Amino acid sequence: MNALSKLVAVEAKLFLREPVSLFFVFALPLGLMLVFGLPQRGARQEATPGQHGELTFLPSIALSLTIGMLALFTLPMALGIYRERKVLRRLATTPVSPALLLIAQVVVNLAMGVAGAVVTAIGVRLLLDQPAPANVPGFVLAFLLGVACLFSIGLLIAALAPSARSAQSIGPTLFFPLLFLAGAWLPRDQMPTVLARVGEYSPLGATVDTISAAWAGQNPAVSQLLVLAGTAVLGCLLATRLFRWE
């Protein structure tokens, strides 16, 4: 068993012991979608990417919520706790590299994200009577790039946050504006033009749009996919370079 597999096994056990993390992944996104989706169940609208078409927007925002909460809440908080409790200082004296620790965190959170996405998608399908994604390859690509983009931001927070408390502050400070730009509270076609354009290429907004497009059977916008991929690469490089053991 190599160092990475051992780290992944340990991180997975620790994750499953945290009821708050499990709540973020499995319960809260689905609960929010039920709160917003059930009153609209009888009001079917034609769905277009980035707008509040029930057939695509609700499942897309549900999955994006799962990814976003893992990336900006759970992941930074875990490494913040390690840094606060001097766990990272002790790891610094071993052959474990920062990249290896970050990879282990990504693997565990990605696995939980996929599990949470499956649970959310099944729940939305059964409880809100939503169809399955029509463009499966496009959906998988959009989902994975959305995960990579948002996780890279979470890793950057985790690499720099000196404590769990600071990680808990930075994550929500980024998450809720990104959620607004994604159109969670106000459809982007009702936003000022500049703000709507920013939201279209924001990490969460691009994730929602590309997943929504694939769910409706369309091809995700290449420009948005490129933005997600570019942000993912840049965020991971910065996280690895700026990582602090203490």
Side-chain angles (χ1 to χ4, degrees):
M1 199 176 194
N2 59 32
L4 178 58
S5 59
K6 288 180 180 178
L7 276 174
V8 169
V10 170
E11 294 298 333
K13 289 179 182 178
L14 293 174
F15 188 101
L16 294 174
R17 291 176 183 173
E18 288 291 336
V20 174
S21 298
L22 295 176
F23 173 78
F24 279 153
V25 174
F26 296 107
L28 185 56
L30 184 58
L32 288 174
M33 290 309 97
L34 291 177
V35 168
F36 289 110
L38 287 176
Q40 302 178 28
R41 187 172 178 177
R44 300 289 184 181
Q45 304 173 12
E46 183 179 353
T48 56
Q51 297 181 1
H52 284 250
E54 183 193 356
L55 291 177
T56 61
F57 183 80
L58 283 175
S60 302
I61 197 70
L63 296 182
S64 299
L65 274 170
T66 301
I67 301 169
M69 288 180 174
L70 273 173
L72 302 180
F73 287 69
T74 306
L75 193 155
M77 187 170 62
L79 284 179
I81 291 173
Y82 288 173
R83 189 172 286 113
E84 195 174 65
R85 296 177 179 175
K86 311 301 181 184
V87 174
L88 295 184
R89 177 187 289 180
R90 293 194 291 272
L91 283 174
T93 63
T94 71
V96 175
S97 69
L100 205 60
L101 181 61
L102 295 178
I103 289 171
Q105 282 286 331
V106 169
V107 169
V108 171
N109 282 276
L110 175 59
M112 293 300 112
V114 171
V118 170
V119 170
T120 301
I122 292 174
V124 169
R125 175 70 181 92
L126 296 178
L127 299 175
L128 299 181
D129 195 25
Q130 304 292 349
N135 179 358
V136 175
F139 170 80
V140 172
L141 177 62
F143 179 79
L144 291 179
L145 285 179
V147 167
C149 175
L150 290 164
F151 273 34
S152 71
I153 297 172
L155 286 174
L156 185 56
I157 297 171
L160 297 174
S163 65
R165 179 170 296 181
S166 61
Q168 285 177 318
S169 300
I170 297 171
T173 300
L174 287 176
F175 179 75
F176 290 109
L178 289 176
L179 195 59
F180 171 78
L181 290 172
W185 293 296
L186 180 68
R188 287 206 299 275
D189 55 7
Q190 297 179 21
M191 294 180 183
T193 303
V194 174
L195 190 61
R197 192 67 172 173
V198 171
E200 185 178 349
Y201 290 97
S202 66
L204 203 56
T207 300
V208 171
D209 282 2
T210 52
I211 291 177
S212 180
W215 206 296
Q218 303 170 9
N219 292 321
V222 174
S223 58
Q224 289 179 308
L225 293 176
L226 289 175
V227 167
L228 292 175
T231 303
V233 172
L234 180 61
C236 289
L237 289 175
L238 288 174
T240 303
R241 185 174 182 83
L242 300 175
F243 184 86
R244 300 183 307 174
W245 288 109
E246 53 183 304

